[in-house]
Amino acid sequence: MKIGILGAGHIGKALARLLAQAGHQVGISNSRGPDSLLDGTQTLRDLAYALGHGVKAFTNEDAARFGELVIETIPFGKYMELPAVQVESKIVIDTANYYPQRDGQIELGGLSQSAFIARHLPRARVVKAFNTIQSAHLESQGDTSRPLDDRRAIFIAGDDQEAKDVVTGLIEQIGFAAVDTGSLADSKVQEPGTPIYGPDLSARQAREALKQSQSQQG
Ligand SMILES: NC(=O)c1ccc[n+]([C@@H]2O[C@H](COP(=O)([O-])OP(=O)(O)OC[C@H]3O[C@@H](n4cnc5c(N)ncnc54)[C@H](OP(=O)(O)O)[C@@H]3O)[C@@H](O)[C@H]2O)c1
């Protein structure tokens, strides 16, 4: 599958490497474009080359256009810069977490963080995923040789079951197991500060922890 990744930071790089290794065609973007320097010596194009497996550097719009599925993994506060038109009708994986001290004060109007992002991408099929795992663990903990129940859980949420099934497949291809927390509205249960945000749980443990967390929320 062609996958466009918006954001070439910790999570963007990890997902680009893992998904390209798994055989997908991956294009990645950042806020500066393929040829601007990142750190004095390296551009996004250099970074993409170093990721290997044919990963390409794109502008944001081109990455969104390229992807049959698009992953948005930029800081939450930059949501206005996401290319809404180019992702229309596509599955968009939202990895973002809202941290007011980093992202500034944003009025979510009672929405979950991913429902808020989805409102900005009105015709996209948004699935929340990968927000509860640190990038270093994403890089190191996938293991396709393990049975699904024993793999590290990646919590997902969304309103489109077919889109969630596609994302579940990608998660399994890179050695993890998806655990579904429900709709985008329900996805508050996997936001920062919740019991299931962060801990290293197998899928079996994650389903149990999710049940407890949901019953505490009433
Ligand atoms: N780090 C983690 O372990 C982790 C875990 C789970 C979820 N998350 C969440 O995932 C998101 C990304 O986190 P991160 O740690 O990977 O971020 P990061 O390392 O700070 O990188 C952010 C990336 O987004 C790019 N970016 C910023 N504005 C953009 C725009 N308008 N268009 C395209 N690219 C843009 C940046 O490019 P430039 O440098 O060119 O601006 C940079 O490549 C955040 O919401 C974070 O809370 C992070």
Side-chain angles (χ1 to χ4, degrees):
M1 183 189 291
K2 288 182 179 172
I3 299 178
I5 301 184
L6 312 178
H10 293 89
I11 294 288
K13 281 187 287 194
L15 286 176
R17 188 179 293 116
L18 292 168
L19 290 166
Q21 260 168 13
H24 297 283
Q25 294 178 58
V26 175
I28 192 165
S29 66
N30 62 8
S31 71
R32 315 166 206 214
D35 295 309
S36 296
L37 287 175
L38 301 174
D39 57 5
T41 56
Q42 199 189 33
T43 64
L44 180 67
R45 209 179 288 286
D46 299 327
L47 174 77
Y49 183 76
L51 286 169
H53 303 280
V55 175
K56 300 270 183 296
F58 285 135
T59 64
N60 241 356
E61 285 71 20
D62 284 348
R65 252 190 297 268
F66 170 81
E68 295 162 299
L69 174 147
V70 175
I71 300 174
E72 86 81 1
T73 184
I74 72 174
F76 190 88
K78 304 280 178 73
Y79 71 94
M80 290 292 288
E81 296 167 21
L82 291 169
V85 173
Q86 289 83 353
V87 301
E88 277 183 9
S89 78
K90 296 183 180 180
I91 298 172
V92 174
I93 299 179
D94 167 37
T95 79
N97 290 309
Y98 174 42
Y99 283 104
Q101 61 278 27
R102 180 193 65 192
D103 299 312
Q105 285 300 326
I106 298 171
E107 183 44 66
L108 301 185
L111 295 174
S112 70
Q113 296 173 10
S114 284
F116 182 82
I117 295 286
R119 201 173 58 172
H120 179 66
L121 307 174
R123 278 182 276 283
R125 306 160 73 192
V126 175
V127 178
K128 186 178 192 73
F130 300 111
N131 76 302
T132 62
I133 182 167
Q134 287 174 28
S135 59
H137 294 163
L138 190 55
E139 294 261 17
S140 63
Q141 291 183 339
D143 185 349
T144 51
S145 70
R146 288 193 188 184
L148 283 174
D149 273 353
D150 296 340
R151 296 185 188 182
R152 168 100 194 232
I154 301 289
F155 291 98
I156 67 167
D159 299 337
D160 179 324
Q161 187 57 49
E162 195 185 73
K164 285 201 281 195
D165 291 345
V166 171
V167 174
T168 295
L170 291 180
I171 287 170
E172 292 178 2
Q173 283 170 17
I174 61 171
F176 295 90
V179 173
D180 189 348
T181 67
S183 67
L184 287 185
D186 296 330
S187 71
K188 286 183 180 182
V189 76
Q190 67 179 84
E191 290 180 354
T194 61
I196 62 169
Y197 180 78
D200 176 354
L201 302 171
S202 69
R204 190 183 287 111
Q205 294 167 326
R207 283 192 292 271
E208 200 46 49
L210 175 63
K211 250 189 259 166
Q212 280 178 20
S213 199
Q214 285 167 331
S215 68
Q216 277 160 20
Q217 281 191 349

